[in-house]
Amino acid sequence: MTCLPGRSERTLGLVIDLDTCVGCQACVTACKGWNDQGYGVPLSDQNPYGSTPSGTFLNRVHSYQVQPADAAPMIVNFPRSCLHCTDAPCVTVCPTGASYKRVEDGIVLVNEDACIGCGLCAWACPYGAREMDADAGVMKKCTLCVDRIYNENLPEEDREPACVRTCPTGARHFGDLADPQSAVSQLVAARGGYDLMPEQGTRPVNKYLAPRKKDRPDKASLLAPLLDIQATGFAGWLDRVLGKI
Amino acid sequence: MNPAPSVIIFTVLSGMGFGYLALLATVHDYSGIAAFWHWFVGYALASIGLAASAFHLGNPQRAWRAFTQWRSSWLSREAWGAVLTLLALAPVALSDWLHLGLPGTFGWLGAGLAVVTIAATGMLYAQIRAVPRWHHWTVPVLFLAFGAAGGCLLAGLRMPSLLALLVLGGMMALHWRVGDGAFARAGSTLGTATGLGGRGQLSVFEPAHTAGSYLLHEMIFVVGRRHVPKLRALALFLSVVLPFLAMLLLPGRYGPYVAVPLHLLGAFAQRWLFFAQAEHVVGLYYGKR
């Protein structure tokens, strides 16, 4: 049944630091690369080299401009993917049981063999985390790289989601958000990690960290002392005389 | 939301069909070959609608799986309701046609299932919180009003038709009125969607992708909203006002012949608008609604 598990023992998820994300799109590429060959059908592209290319992606990076009232505008890069919500609306709407949330680690997955491609789960998700694969007609979504994180054939440092592994600035963190002692939980506590669209009542597992306050330069220039040039010798005498006339 | 023809045909025809079947099973009293044709029309509308819904699926060959999750999913409940209604009413239809004299209780049972099915179709949309315009009790009630009006018109019941059309007109207007402020009331903005709300004026700097995507196509349908007032007037006139006048003024049996096609056209216009005008909160991330 596509009822939600009452409580999962661990809740694996991501913590995304908007302060350090530089918007390089490496996580988008790494995600697409890994999920082309791993869990389920590959992420297809339509007309990839033509005039109207499109394709399935599980992770997209947006860019927003923030214009504070009293400071310079700021660009915030914003990766968007499945938040593996505790009250995932995409799971309960599924008529076939293809969409489910795992009891053992809270990952929201799609059993593609049972998916009829009705698209109702994508409608139910406020975050646009699900995309229907146009070739296979089944719903694709972030698997939290379930085929990497438990994969004992991989070296230990690779047992994390592809997006986290590839991020060159360390803006993405992976871990157990139910364990208050875990590194990600500590990070969320220290930086005030928050939920996206809390008013939608989805209780996301993934947390976002806001950009830190930037240093502001003093009003006076650092070069001010150097700009006060005192002439000496003849030029100094001339300066004094001309100043008195 | 993308107004896909398959879902528009599905909701309009199956709603009208189940409404008509419910009336045939209860208040109407045809017999013999006349009964056969009336039941045929009801079954045809409901079945064509249900068949159209299959065209919306990426993998229709697995559609049987949609019957498994009735405990949590409205789509599953809708599927069960539709099949049970069609099965439960089959003996009633045969009894009318072949004079078998089945007790009326069977008809009432089937009619009840038909009503549940129409309500479940409405709940498919009303359950989705991410589309604030839909997330309201007026949606299933509007679908039921459409079923009642369409059924009464097809059955040629004059007074019930006039009443049902009045209720339908009122519900349509209420649904539009409530829906117009729904997005603002839901409280989702680019600020809550990104969590950057309190930091200043927030705007989209660059899109996440320059090409199209499933999200843009399916949930960020912005075409055609310009003509909303005209389409609303068209929907209201065709589905309610003109059929009302036709049933009121035209003599005897001619009313339905004029009213039903007009009502159907109006229902299609209303349903197109129902999808085209519904805004999904994911549009906020793209700066589009």
Side-chain angles (χ1 to χ4, degrees):
Chain A
M1 286 288 170
T2 45
C3 297
L4 289 162
R7 203 177 162 280
S8 48
E9 216 141 273
R10 299 198 303 155
T11 52
L12 298 183
L14 301 176
V15 174
I16 294 172
D17 190 347
L18 300 180
D19 192 60
T20 38
C21 175
V22 292
C24 68
Q25 311 270 336
C27 54
V28 178
T29 315
C31 168
K32 179 96 171 176
W34 179 262
N35 287 293
D36 258 351
Q37 56 192 347
Y39 184 95
V41 298
L43 300 172
S44 70
D45 289 316
Q46 283 68 46
N47 199 13
Y49 306 107
S51 55
T52 53
S54 67
T56 317
F57 286 79
L58 312 182
N59 180 32
R60 309 253 192 194
V61 179
H62 297 255
S63 245
Y64 299 107
Q65 174 176 288
V66 184
Q67 171 68 72
D70 56 346
M74 179 168 66
I75 297 298
V76 180
N77 300 296
F78 185 90
R80 176 177 58 81
S81 59
C82 175
L83 308 175
H84 298 279
C85 301
T86 309
D87 290 335
C90 55
V91 170
T92 47
V93 298
C94 178
T96 68
S99 195
Y100 63 104
K101 186 171 174 69
R102 304 211 317 177
V103 182
E104 61 268 36
D105 52 18
I107 300 179
V108 176
L109 286 176
V110 175
N111 171 11
E112 291 172 12
D113 293 333
C115 175
I116 57 173
C118 67
L120 201 55
C121 56
W123 288 7
C125 172
Y127 310 104
R130 291 172 169 244
E131 297 192 13
M132 181 104 73
D133 190 90
D135 270 8
V138 295
M139 198 52 75
K140 300 294 293 186
K141 69 174 294 301
C142 163
T143 65
L144 214 59
C145 282
V146 70
D147 49 346
R148 283 176 71 98
I149 58 177
Y150 297 115
N151 192 338
E152 291 185 357
N153 296 317
L154 295 176
E156 204 170 333
E157 63 269 28
D158 283 337
R159 288 180 212 159
E160 56 183 13
C163 57
V164 176
R165 184 76 182 98
T166 205
C167 180
T169 62
R172 305 180 70 102
H173 306 268
F174 164 71
D176 180 7
L177 284 139
D179 172 13
Q181 299 309 314
S182 69
V184 280
S185 295
Q186 302 276 339
L187 191 59
V188 168
R191 293 274 306 280
Y194 60 84
D195 293 344
L196 303 185
M197 286 201 242
E199 71 280 359
Q200 287 282 331
T202 54
R203 295 204 293 146
V205 168
N206 285 13
K207 299 283 184 263
Y208 281 72
L209 307 178
R212 290 182 178 93
K213 271 224 156 73
K214 299 289 182 279
D215 291 341
R216 296 224 184 137
D218 290 333
K219 281 253 167 63
S221 169
L222 293 170
L223 300 174
L226 300 173
L227 292 173
D228 187 22
I229 300 166
Q230 301 292 332
T232 54
F234 177 71
W237 173 79
L238 201 60
D239 185 37
R240 282 197 301 278
V241 169
L242 288 173
K244 279 174 184 165
I245 295 172
Chain B
M1 306 296 284
N2 175 30
S6 53
V7 280
I8 293 178
I9 294 172
F10 155 55
T11 54
V12 170
L13 292 191
S14 75
M16 197 177 193
F18 282 117
Y20 188 35
L21 288 176
L23 287 173
L24 282 179
T26 49
V27 293
H28 236 288
D29 204 18
Y30 290 110
S31 63
I33 196 71
F36 173 82
W37 286 113
H38 280 273
W39 280 101
F40 179 81
V41 169
Y43 266 87
L45 282 172
S47 316
I48 293 170
L50 293 174
S53 75
F55 285 99
H56 192 64
L57 304 180
N59 282 285
Q61 77 280 6
R62 300 176 191 148
W64 63 270
R65 289 183 183 271
F67 291 96
T68 58
Q69 306 300 313
W70 50 271
R71 278 201 335 207
S72 51
S73 164
W74 278 105
L75 182 49
S76 198
R77 289 170 199 160
E78 204 273 341
W80 270 109
V83 168
L84 287 179
T85 307
L86 295 181
L87 286 178
L89 287 177
V92 185
L94 284 175
S95 159
D96 276 4
W97 175 25
L98 305 169
H99 309 285
L100 301 179
L102 204 67
T105 331
F106 286 87
W108 284 99
L109 177 75
L113 285 167
V115 170
V116 170
T117 308
I118 298 174
T121 310
M123 284 308 294
L124 282 184
Y125 306 103
Q127 69 177 333
I128 294 175
R129 198 169 173 174
V131 183
R133 185 180 283 279
W134 288 350
H135 191 53
H136 199 264
W137 60 264
T138 49
V139 173
V141 177
L142 178 68
F143 277 47
L144 284 168
F146 260 110
C152 288
L153 287 175
L154 272 172
L157 304 167
R158 182 173 245 169
M159 273 317 285
S161 287
L162 296 179
L163 259 177
L165 284 171
L166 280 180
V167 172
L168 174 63
M171 279 316 298
M172 220 188 282
L174 182 66
H175 167 66
W176 286 332
R177 195 180 154 73
V178 170
D180 283 345
F183 202 100
R185 278 196 304 277
S188 293
T189 61
L190 182 55
T192 66
T194 59
L196 301 168
R199 299 172 163 261
Q201 208 182 352
L202 194 58
S203 56
V204 173
F205 179 68
E206 275 181 331
H209 45 96
T210 51
S213 76
Y214 173 75
L215 294 179
L216 290 173
H217 174 259
E218 185 75 11
M219 273 159 297
I220 311 177
F221 184 86
V222 289
V223 189
R225 297 222 189 105
R226 266 170 308 183
H227 302 298
V228 165
K230 281 182 207 165
L231 277 166
R232 281 187 177 177
L234 200 70
L236 196 62
F237 265 87
L238 285 174
S239 69
V240 176
V241 179
L242 295 180
F244 187 88
L245 292 176
M247 291 304 279
L248 191 68
L249 302 175
L250 289 177
R253 51 186 297 193
Y254 295 107
Y257 289 117
V258 177
V260 169
L262 288 173
H263 172 78
L264 202 55
L265 269 179
F268 278 117
Q270 189 278 339
R271 209 51 51 84
W272 189 88
L273 208 53
F274 178 77
F275 288 99
Q277 237 199 326
E279 299 159 310
H280 197 287
V281 294
V282 73
L284 293 168
Y285 286 108
Y286 288 87
K288 298 173 182 173
R289 282 167 42 186

